[in-house]
């Protein structure tokens, strides 16, 4: 249920495998050949559990890399605006200079925090030990989720600060062709942060569903 596309693909692969196995059975009875192929295939619950674990591991890796890339892209957009302001000699007004003394340190601290948390979170969720899906791996996965979510929250704070500064700067100046690059880069930053938050939300929601399923099956006595 957490990935309908994967479910359809796995069902097709299983069907093809069972048909090939049944065809290779040395018996004249089609029904008996199919029964033997199914018996040798193994318990569906065990196979499904393996897919769930591998899917969750890969999804967490992609989420960590996605958030880390989002942080770097946002940082690059911010740095690009600073260079652009210098080349176009776009000076700050007195009010923006005063506000910048408060907002800029918050902005930089949030970017640095996002980079550190993103790197650490990506390293944690990329460990092959998560595939064991034991208590230790589940704990590591949760820590990785928390760090990645915290990195996304930090980059959201940084982009909010950038949005305030850029909007203020644009409001102080007359609209010219020089305004297009800062405005465009800000739109890109906001878009990638929103995409990151949505992706993290979907990952956490699906991961929680998988963990709840694992906990319920373990509690009911099933062994995987």
């Amino acid at each position: 249920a957490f990935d309908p596309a994967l479910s359809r693909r796995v069902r097709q692969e299983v069907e093809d495998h069972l048909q090939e196995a049944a065809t290779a059975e040395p018996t004249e009875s089609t029904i008996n050949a199919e029964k033997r192929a199914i018996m040798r295939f193994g318990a569906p619950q065990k196979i499904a559990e393996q897919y769930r674990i591998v899917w969750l591991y890969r999804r967490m890796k992609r989420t960590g890399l996605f958030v880390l890339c989002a942080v770097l892209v946002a940082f690059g957009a911010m740095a690009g605006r600073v260079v652009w302001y210098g080349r176009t000699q776009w000076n700050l007004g007195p009010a923006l200079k005063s506000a910048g003394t408060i907002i800029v340190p918050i902005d930089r601290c949030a970017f640095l925090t996002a980079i550190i948390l993103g790197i650490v979170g990506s390293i944690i969720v990329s460990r092959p030990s998560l595939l064991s899906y034991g208590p230790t791996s589940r704990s590591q996965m949760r820590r990785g989720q928390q760090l990645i979510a915290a990195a996304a929250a930090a980059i959201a704070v940084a982009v909010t600060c950038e949005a305030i500064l850029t909007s203020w700067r644009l409001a102080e100046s007359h609209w010219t062709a020089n305004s297009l690059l800062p405005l465009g880069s800000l739109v890109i930053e906001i878009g990638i942060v929103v995409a990151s938050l949505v992706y993290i939300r979907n990952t956490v929601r699906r991961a929680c569903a998988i963990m709840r399923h694992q906990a319920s099956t373990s509690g009911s006595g099933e062994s995987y």
Side-chain angles (χ1 to χ4, degrees):
F2 62 84
D3 193 334
L6 175 63
S7 180
R8 289 191 295 269
R9 189 173 74 249
V10 170
R11 287 202 304 269
Q12 185 60 52
E13 292 175 358
V14 170
E15 181 181 358
D16 294 341
H17 172 79
L18 291 176
Q19 287 180 347
E20 292 177 2
T23 302
E25 275 290 326
T27 177
E28 296 180 356
S29 173
T30 303
I31 295 178
N32 291 337
E34 291 175 350
K35 287 182 178 180
R36 288 185 179 180
I38 291 172
M39 289 178 62
R40 287 203 311 270
F41 186 71
Q45 294 83 358
K46 293 183 66 175
I47 298 169
E49 186 63 26
Q50 293 171 3
Y51 273 102
R52 280 193 289 268
I53 295 171
V54 173
W55 179 91
L56 182 56
Y57 171 70
R58 292 177 178 173
R59 175 80 180 198
M60 291 299 301
K61 284 184 66 175
R62 287 197 298 268
T63 302
L65 291 175
F66 183 55
V67 171
L68 187 57
C69 289
V71 172
L72 296 178
V73 169
F75 183 80
M78 181 271 292
R81 281 196 299 273
V82 172
V83 173
W84 181 256
Y85 296 146
R87 289 188 175 181
T88 58
Q89 297 182 349
W90 196 334
N91 298 321
L92 299 175
L96 185 54
K97 280 185 179 180
S98 178
T101 58
I102 299 174
I103 298 176
V104 170
I106 297 175
D107 187 9
R108 292 176 178 173
C109 181
F111 265 119
L112 181 61
T113 301
I115 292 173
I116 294 174
L117 293 178
I119 292 174
V120 175
S122 298
I123 292 174
I124 290 177
V125 299
S126 297
R127 292 179 177 178
S129 59
L130 294 182
L131 289 170
S132 64
Y133 210 69
T136 302
S137 64
R138 288 197 295 270
S139 177
Q140 290 179 356
M141 192 174 297
R142 291 192 185 95
R143 284 198 297 269
Q145 287 180 348
Q146 292 168 356
L147 290 174
I148 291 172
I155 193 60
V157 171
V159 171
T160 301
C161 293
E162 287 293 317
I164 294 173
L165 293 173
T166 303
S167 301
W168 198 333
R169 187 187 286 263
L170 292 174
E172 284 186 346
S173 64
H174 297 291
W175 283 89
T176 64
N178 292 336
S179 305
L180 295 177
L181 189 144
L183 183 61
S185 64
L186 181 61
V187 170
I188 292 174
E189 278 188 72
I190 294 174
I192 197 169
V193 168
V194 171
S196 299
L197 294 176
V198 171
Y199 197 83
I200 289 173
R201 175 181 174 274
N202 291 336
T203 299
V204 172
R205 184 177 61 184
R206 295 181 181 188
C208 289
I210 293 174
M211 290 180 179
R212 283 196 299 269
H213 180 273
Q214 174 68 14
S216 64
T217 54
S218 297
S220 64
E222 290 187 42
S223 175
Y224 297 113

